[in-house]
């Protein structure tokens, strides 16, 4: 089957080039087109071919400590439900709610403390007794001490979200080119970026190419789009401004380039001569045979999952997360470990998934597993994403490093990027997510307050 997005010529100019055709890049492209920008999206692989194609589709507020990421999660949940609400059926947006289960009184006490802190920041949450747990989830273990219900938690099908957001963007004039690797940046003064030295290249599978403002007031990339891009950073020590991208199929000049390349975002940043410590963190998902409808009604996970998410340990971390799908299969996560891009099966990880899931839902012990698959979360040392202009390479912007929360945070990230690109006041302060924060020596502490 012919894929036209792989065989047509690249436009010579744009207002914004987005590197990455995953959910984050797709959301940024959509909101940028709404703002009137001419957008080109490039990816060396396929749409949602990276992290977006290997995720469960979490849109969660429940698993985040109070702090910048929780504020972004609340905002993004609003964008998914309101700005993107009319299209929710296209990507199977489901307001299923999250149920966090505490196995012991001590774990329940810790969960209550977290819930109170989250509630003070606007999260909707209510305590659930051990008896009520079984009304919400009849198949749940009878050993649980209690839990908390988060009705704002939701789920999307991430591959559908990426595909449809890009389709919407194309309807407004965006150009999407898969099979198109970014091999360097165009720089003001004729200097160009080199070839990436890690991550297998710059244009990722599920990553792509984006553009950002130069050092002086930027104008649309050679056309009359009716909108303009605000310059992205600058100041002392900045490198030559980024003015577009180079690919094997040609160049695209643009005043703004957005690095939404997921786990390969560090390699893309390296093409511009800047360091971005985005690393792959492997995770496995176990998929069961189809079960009767509503066997698992919510996204259900153990209370220690929040600690697992916040851990910086490179070794295997596992905490059970169980949820049903519209097709009847049950998705079982989650594991985390830093092993580079090693996709080899891990019996230890699979055993941990199965053991944890059976601990929550004993009936799963007699259910067959159909398959297991792996993906790589784009991990940052402080567990916060990187969002905004990079003053070290004016014209380069970033929207990456969301780790396992990228699907849920994508909608908000895309809208914030579009606001910043066009000079609007952003709905959230982007300072905590600044790309240059890693050079200040203060970005290695856990997220939250």
């Amino acid at each position: 089957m012919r894929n036209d997005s792989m065989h047509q010529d690249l436009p010579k100019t744009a207002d914004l080039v987005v590197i990455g055709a995953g959910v984050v890049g797709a959301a940024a492209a959509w909101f940028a087109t709404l703002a009137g920008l001419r957008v080109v999206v490039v990816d060396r692989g396929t749409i949602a071919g990276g992290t977006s194609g290997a995720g469960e589709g979490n849109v969660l507020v429940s698993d985040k400590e109070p702090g910048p990421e929780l504020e972004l999660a609340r905002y993004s949940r609003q964008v998914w439900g309101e700005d993107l609400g009319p299209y929710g059926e296209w990507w199977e947006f489901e307001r299923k709610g999250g149920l966090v289960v505490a196995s012991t009184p001590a774990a329940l006490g810790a969960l209550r403390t977290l819930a109170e802190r989250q509630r003070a920041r606007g999260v909707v949450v209510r305590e659930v007794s051990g008896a009520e747990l079984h009304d919400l989830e009849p198949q749940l273990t009878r050993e649980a001490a209690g839990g908390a219900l988060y009705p704002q938690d939701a789920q999307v099908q991430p591959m559908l979200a990426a595909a449809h957001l890009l389709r919407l963007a194309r309807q407004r004039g965006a150009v999407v080119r898969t099979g198109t690797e970014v091999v360097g940046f165009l720089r003001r003064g004729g200097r160009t970026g080199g070839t990436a030295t890690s991550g297998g290249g710059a244009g990722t599978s599920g990553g792509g190419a984006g553009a950002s403002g130069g050092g002086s007031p930027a104008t649309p990339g050679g056309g009359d789009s009716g909108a303009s891009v605000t310059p992205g950073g600058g100041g002392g020590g900045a490198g030559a401004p980024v003015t577009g991208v180079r690919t094997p199929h040609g160049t695209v000049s643009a005043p703004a380039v957005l690095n939404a390349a997921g786990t390969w975002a560090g390699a893309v940043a390296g093409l511009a001569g800047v360091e971005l410590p985005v690393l792959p963190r492997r995770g496995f998902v176990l998929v069961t045979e189809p079960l009767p409808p509503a066997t698992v009604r919510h996204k259900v996970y153990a209370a220690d999952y929040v600690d697992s998410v916040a851990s910086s340990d490179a070794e295997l971390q596992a905490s059970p997360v169980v949820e049903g799908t519209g097709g009847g299969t049950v998705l079982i996560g989650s594991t985390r470990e830093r092993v580079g891009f090693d996709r080899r099966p891990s019996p230890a990880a699979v055993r941990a998934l199965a053991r944890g899931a059976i601990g929550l839902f004993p009936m799963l012990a007699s259910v067959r597993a159909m398959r297991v698959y792996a993906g790589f979360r784009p991990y940052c040392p402080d567990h916060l994403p990187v969002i905004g202009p990079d003053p070290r390479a004016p014209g380069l912007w970033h929207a990456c490093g969301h780790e396992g929360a990228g699907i849920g945070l994508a909608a908000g990230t895309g809208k914030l990027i579009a606001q910043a690109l066009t000079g609007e006041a952003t709905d959230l302060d982007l300072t905590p997510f600044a790309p240059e924060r890693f050079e200040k020596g203060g970005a290695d502490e856990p997220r939250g307050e």
Side-chain angles (χ1 to χ4, degrees):
M1 180 179 294
R2 179 183 175 88
N3 183 348
D4 287 339
S5 68
M6 296 183 66
H7 294 275
Q8 296 178 6
D9 292 337
L10 277 172
K12 298 299 183 183
T13 64
D15 299 329
L16 171 67
V17 178
V18 179
I19 305 174
V23 178
V24 173
W30 164 240
F31 282 107
T33 62
L34 282 181
L37 299 182
R38 294 184 306 117
V39 178
V40 173
V41 180
V42 297
D43 195 302
R44 78 174 181 198
T46 59
I47 293 172
T51 302
S52 294
E56 296 175 71
N58 294 337
V59 183
L60 304 182
V61 297
S62 59
D63 65 339
K64 295 166 182 65
E65 297 271 357
E69 190 186 28
L70 178 59
E71 298 309 307
L72 178 58
R74 291 180 58 236
Y75 174 73
S76 195
R77 173 62 179 84
Q78 177 183 329
V79 176
W80 275 115
E82 296 179 6
D83 299 68
L84 299 176
Y87 314 106
E89 289 186 1
W90 295 0
W91 42 72
E92 300 176 6
F93 185 83
E94 184 178 1
R95 298 169 176 83
K96 62 169 53 179
L99 186 61
V100 186
V101 179
S103 59
T104 67
L108 182 59
L111 177 59
R112 286 171 175 162
T113 299
L114 173 63
E116 285 296 329
R117 296 173 60 217
Q118 293 171 324
R119 189 179 290 114
R121 293 305 182 97
V123 174
V124 179
V125 53
R126 71 175 179 88
E127 185 177 341
V128 178
S129 68
E132 189 183 0
L133 282 175
H134 308 115
D135 294 331
L136 295 170
E137 289 288 349
Q139 302 294 337
L140 193 68
T141 176
R142 301 284 170 169
E143 304 297 323
L149 179 65
Y150 291 82
Q152 292 167 305
D153 283 357
Q155 183 179 12
V156 301
Q157 213 296 341
M159 290 181 285
L160 291 177
H164 283 297
L165 283 167
L166 289 173
R167 181 167 68 87
L168 288 168
R170 284 198 298 267
Q171 289 174 355
R172 295 187 64 88
V175 174
V176 179
R177 293 291 180 264
T178 55
T180 302
E181 180 176 3
V182 171
V183 297
F185 290 111
L186 304 179
R187 309 298 287 265
R188 184 170 299 165
R191 191 163 66 88
T192 62
T195 302
T197 57
S198 63
T204 85
S205 185
S212 144
S216 60
T219 58
D224 182 13
S225 66
S228 62
V229 176
T230 296
V242 169
T243 59
V245 300
R246 292 190 296 113
T247 81
H249 308 296
T251 64
V252 184
S253 296
V257 176
L258 179 67
N259 175 11
T263 46
W264 292 271
V268 170
L271 293 176
V274 298
E275 183 177 356
L276 208 62
V278 178
L279 301 172
R281 200 177 188 194
R282 186 176 70 182
F284 288 93
V285 175
L286 191 63
V287 185
T288 75
E289 63 184 327
L291 300 178
T295 298
V296 180
R297 302 174 178 179
H298 302 80
K299 178 177 286 291
V300 182
Y301 64 86
D304 63 357
Y305 173 75
V306 177
D307 293 332
S308 177
V309 170
S311 169
S312 295
D313 199 324
E315 301 302 317
L316 178 65
Q317 307 284 310
S319 183
V321 181
V322 181
E323 63 186 308
T325 68
T329 59
V330 173
L331 306 181
I332 298 171
S334 88
T335 64
R336 284 172 163 78
E337 56 187 331
R338 296 210 307 273
V339 293
F341 287 98
D342 185 353
R343 285 189 176 273
R344 289 177 298 177
S346 168
V350 175
R351 284 194 297 268
L353 289 175
R355 184 168 55 247
I358 292 169
L360 284 176
F361 290 91
M363 44 75 61
L364 289 175
S366 60
V367 173
R368 291 189 179 94
M370 291 199 308
R371 67 185 183 103
V372 62
Y373 62 89
F376 299 97
R377 304 174 180 90
Y379 161 89
C380 282
D382 60 356
H383 300 278
L384 290 176
V386 183
I387 305 171
D390 196 325
R392 302 167 298 177
L396 178 64
W397 296 62
H398 302 285
C400 55
H402 297 77
E403 201 170 335
I407 307 303
L409 301 181
T413 297
K415 186 173 181 180
L416 291 167
I417 284 288
Q419 289 172 341
L421 280 166
T422 54
E424 291 185 34
T426 55
D427 292 333
L428 290 183
D429 180 13
L430 296 183
T431 302
F433 313 113
E436 70 272 22
R437 71 184 188 268
F438 300 101
E439 295 190 349
K440 300 174 183 177
D444 56 353
E445 296 298 321
R447 61 188 175 185
E449 298 178 343

